[in-house]
Amino acid sequence: MPEARAASAALPQPALEIASGYAFGGPALDLGALLWDGVCLPDAQVRIPLPMLNRHGLVAGATGTGKTKTLQLVAEQLSAQGVPVFLADIKGDVSGISAPGARNEKVQARAAEVHQEWVATGFPAEFYALGGIGHGIPVRATVTSFGPVLLAKVLQLNQTQEQSLGLIFHYADQKGLELVDLKDLRAVVAFLTSDEGKAELKNIGGLSTATAGVILRSLTAFEAQGMADFFGEPEFDTAELLRTASDGRGMVSVLELAAIQDRPQLFSTFLMWLLADLFHDLPEVGDADKPKLVFFFDEAHLLFHGASKAFLDSITQTVRLIRSKGVGVFFVTQTPKDVPADVLAQLGNRVQHALRAFTPDDQKALKATVKTFPDSAYDLEELLTGLGTGEAVVTVLSEKGAPTPVAATRLRAPESLMGPVEASTLDAAVKASPLYGRYAQAVDRESAYEKLSSRGAKGPDEMADEVRAPARKPKDDPSVVEQVVGSGVFKSLARSLGTQIGREITRSLFGTARRRR
């Protein structure tokens, strides 16, 4: 941007120093224009280098400050540069990214303020919905693939119950009882707690009848809430998120969550499954010219709330290692304190919208947020409470990987529609997708439920004998860790070295299993 750099000589000295930190030579995303002393300086553009988008980031701010529009702005420019994007649409208003925006006075005024050449543009998009609830191509996971650790969080089990659930998965894997949907898992637990299966239960160290009963009741209640649709086949292949359109632009994958926004534990954990599955399948790429995918993790605080230390460690490990696979992750939440320190330390790109300071807790959060930024020429406490809608405090990583100066920024206007498209238009787009025929119809093949049901018809003694038959008597009461490490699920993770090592770490940490291809 030579014109901007030449004109920037007239900027005030502090603003000139900030602007020089954003004068990148390579491809970059344009966020907006610098704000200094209450004045917008369009000759000082604030940008993010494209290769640094896999260094992860945070978009934060109070409700109504413009976080969603920031996501839309960044997603548009990533798509335009051939980078696929994943967006979780909690409120149902991101679908407009697929349609050209509407020119109006506000858009024109903002474009003029920041020297943006605004052109109404729609971007290639696919729309998904968890279990097909809502408008979108159904996204499902098998229970086996989802794994006991993530499922335990969805079911809100405690640590002991989580470990017991892991043993139940291990038992099912050992006996060839495929856990495709929730009724499969419920059938296995019901068998283990029945008169016929109690002998099997005794062979699983550390799993009591009482704990198995708690898990069974949790599963039954979970199904009664209508959650069964999210688990089953055909299982969604996360490689679909890496697609580009025929014109070379990156596909924007929008996961519609408005229909289930009252089930936060479910969708936040499903987002983690998507991320963990991507990490499992992608090869190492090191430092690439641009990311393979940028993944926006909305309502991130829901993932971390009430999570065990082991679960948080798994997230931290995944976020740290997935960068080398070319995936950037942006957590979206209200304040940085919603994100654990070990995760926050890995988020080099920051877009902080306005914060409120109406209560003592708000003021404490404000002070904590200020401490997470590099030293700045601004009074950040005052600035963060005075930002308007569509304005933010920005610091990113330069092309050399060093933090840029903190820059108050008036953000550009998205060029796509800032609001939802019509439901009929959305449904038509979903049904016209080449993926619709692949995932729309649920399939219920023979799995654990059917196998246990057919055995039950042969009588209790014979059924128990058949289920017990493949088992080998454990020696010296192996520990929980020994049993899990000895399971077929774990062994499948150790098939190769090299780039597969990263997969093994995530798969063992989250307890997820490789899907059938």
Side-chain angles (χ1 to χ4, degrees):
M1 301 183 63
E3 302 88 350
R5 284 196 289 271
S8 67
L11 297 175
Q13 185 59 34
L16 183 61
E17 292 175 4
I18 295 171
S20 65
Y22 292 87
F24 310 124
L29 309 187
D30 296 310
L31 293 180
L34 183 68
L35 286 169
W36 181 258
D37 201 18
V39 178
C40 182
L41 306 174
D43 290 329
Q45 291 291 309
V46 177
R47 315 168 76 214
I48 304 180
L50 185 61
M52 292 294 112
L53 265 297
N54 73 335
R55 295 301 201 276
H56 309 321
L58 176 74
V59 179
T63 301
T65 56
K67 295 192 300 293
T68 301
K69 299 301 175 283
T70 297
L71 303 189
Q72 195 167 340
L73 173 67
V74 173
E76 289 177 354
Q77 295 188 57
L78 285 168
S79 174
Q81 299 204 47
V83 178
V85 178
F86 172 88
L87 292 171
D89 187 6
I90 308 292
K91 298 184 290 293
D93 56 0
V94 181
S95 59
I97 198 167
S98 63
R103 183 182 292 274
N104 56 42
E105 290 183 5
K106 286 185 177 180
V107 168
Q108 287 180 301
R110 176 56 61 95
E113 286 176 332
V114 301
H115 285 188
Q116 174 186 6
E117 295 181 7
W118 190 90
V119 179
T121 310
F123 293 82
E126 292 279 13
F127 300 98
Y128 301 97
L130 287 186
I133 296 180
H135 302 279
I137 297 162
V139 174
R140 304 180 188 88
T142 64
V143 171
T144 291
S145 173
F146 205 71
V149 177
L150 293 175
L151 187 59
K153 181 163 178 61
V154 171
L155 297 175
Q156 300 182 49
L157 303 180
N158 63 31
Q159 185 175 355
T160 299
Q161 293 159 357
E162 177 185 317
Q163 291 174 341
S164 297
L165 184 62
L167 290 177
I168 293 169
F169 271 70
H170 163 54
Y171 173 82
D173 177 69
Q174 188 181 50
K175 305 298 182 181
L177 298 171
E178 298 92 338
L179 303 177
V180 174
D181 50 28
L182 288 180
K183 73 177 187 299
D184 290 322
L185 181 56
R186 186 159 44 81
V188 172
V189 180
F191 170 73
L192 290 173
T193 55
S194 69
D195 291 338
E196 296 85 0
K198 283 182 179 178
E200 294 295 293
L201 195 62
K202 291 179 181 178
N203 291 331
I204 306 178
L207 179 60
S208 69
T209 304
T211 301
V214 170
I215 294 171
L216 182 59
R217 289 192 294 274
S218 298
L219 283 169
T220 302
F222 192 63
E223 282 189 289
Q225 295 169 16
M227 306 298 188
D229 290 337
F230 304 109
F231 296 94
E233 292 180 323
E235 183 173 69
F236 182 69
D237 186 348
T238 51
E240 310 286 10
L241 304 178
L242 304 174
R243 296 160 54 228
T244 55
S246 57
D247 60 4
R249 291 186 295 173
M251 189 67 70
V252 181
S253 298
V254 180
L255 182 64
E256 295 285 332
L257 297 171
I260 59 164
Q261 60 181 305
D262 59 338
R263 305 168 196 176
Q265 287 279 0
L266 177 68
F267 69 67
S268 65
T269 311
F270 244 97
L271 293 181
M272 195 65 234
W273 172 76
L274 288 172
L275 196 58
D277 196 72
L278 277 166
F279 180 46
H280 166 265
D281 285 346
L282 289 174
E284 298 278 345
V285 296
D287 292 324
D289 292 337
K290 61 183 180 182
K292 285 188 173 182
L293 173 74
V294 176
F295 191 105
F296 288 94
F297 206 123
D298 207 353
E299 300 291 346
H301 64 283
L302 298 171
L303 180 71
F304 303 115
H305 179 69
S308 66
K309 183 181 184 302
F311 190 84
L312 293 177
D313 288 345
S314 299
I315 296 172
T316 304
Q317 185 85 310
T318 302
V319 172
R320 189 174 80 247
L321 296 178
I322 202 170
R323 181 195 69 77
S324 65
K325 305 214 172 183
V327 176
V329 183
F330 275 70
F331 291 96
V332 185
T333 189
Q334 294 204 359
T335 71
K337 74 181 184 66
D338 292 334
V339 181
D342 288 344
V343 177
L344 189 63
Q346 300 178 52
L347 310 182
N349 300 305
R350 302 275 298 279
V351 180
Q352 175 69 59
H353 288 265
L355 290 174
R356 309 302 181 211
F358 299 141
T359 69
D361 285 344
D362 290 343
Q363 292 170 356
K364 185 177 179 180
L366 174 62
K367 291 181 182 295
T369 297
V370 170
K371 290 179 180 178
T372 65
F373 279 90
D375 290 340
S376 166
Y378 297 95
D379 181 340
L380 285 179
E381 282 194 38
E382 180 179 349
L383 178 61
L384 286 172
T385 55
L387 291 170
T389 302
E391 296 176 347
V393 171
V394 174
T395 180
V396 302
L397 294 180
S398 71
E399 293 166 309
K400 296 180 179 179
T404 59
V406 175
T409 307
R410 183 159 292 163
L411 299 169
R412 293 182 167 222
E415 296 183 336
S416 56
L417 183 64
M418 289 187 277
V421 298
E422 294 289 335
S424 58
T425 303
L426 187 55
D427 285 337
V430 169
K431 291 178 181 177
S433 168
L435 303 182
Y436 184 76
R438 192 178 307 168
Y439 295 108
Q441 187 62 47
V443 176
D444 188 10
R445 64 181 175 87
E446 184 186 57
S447 47
Y449 174 81
E450 288 78 14
K451 290 180 178 180
L452 289 173
S453 297
S454 65
R455 282 168 174 164
K458 299 177 182 180
D461 294 336
E462 190 175 357
M463 180 176 72
D465 288 342
E466 283 195 15
V467 175
R468 280 199 297 268
R472 292 168 56 187
K473 186 177 180 180
K475 56 181 180 180
D476 299 328
D477 295 320
S479 67
V480 171
V481 172
E482 288 171 334
Q483 291 187 57
V484 173
V485 168
S487 72
V489 172
F490 186 92
K491 289 177 181 177
S492 71
L493 305 179
R495 290 175 181 168
S496 59
L497 299 174
T499 59
Q500 189 75 4
I501 290 176
R503 299 181 182 182
E504 293 161 14
I505 292 172
T506 297
R507 304 301 279 185
S508 62
L509 285 172
F510 280 107
T512 50
R514 191 176 184 87
R515 77 163 66 86
R516 290 170 174 263
R517 293 293 187 182

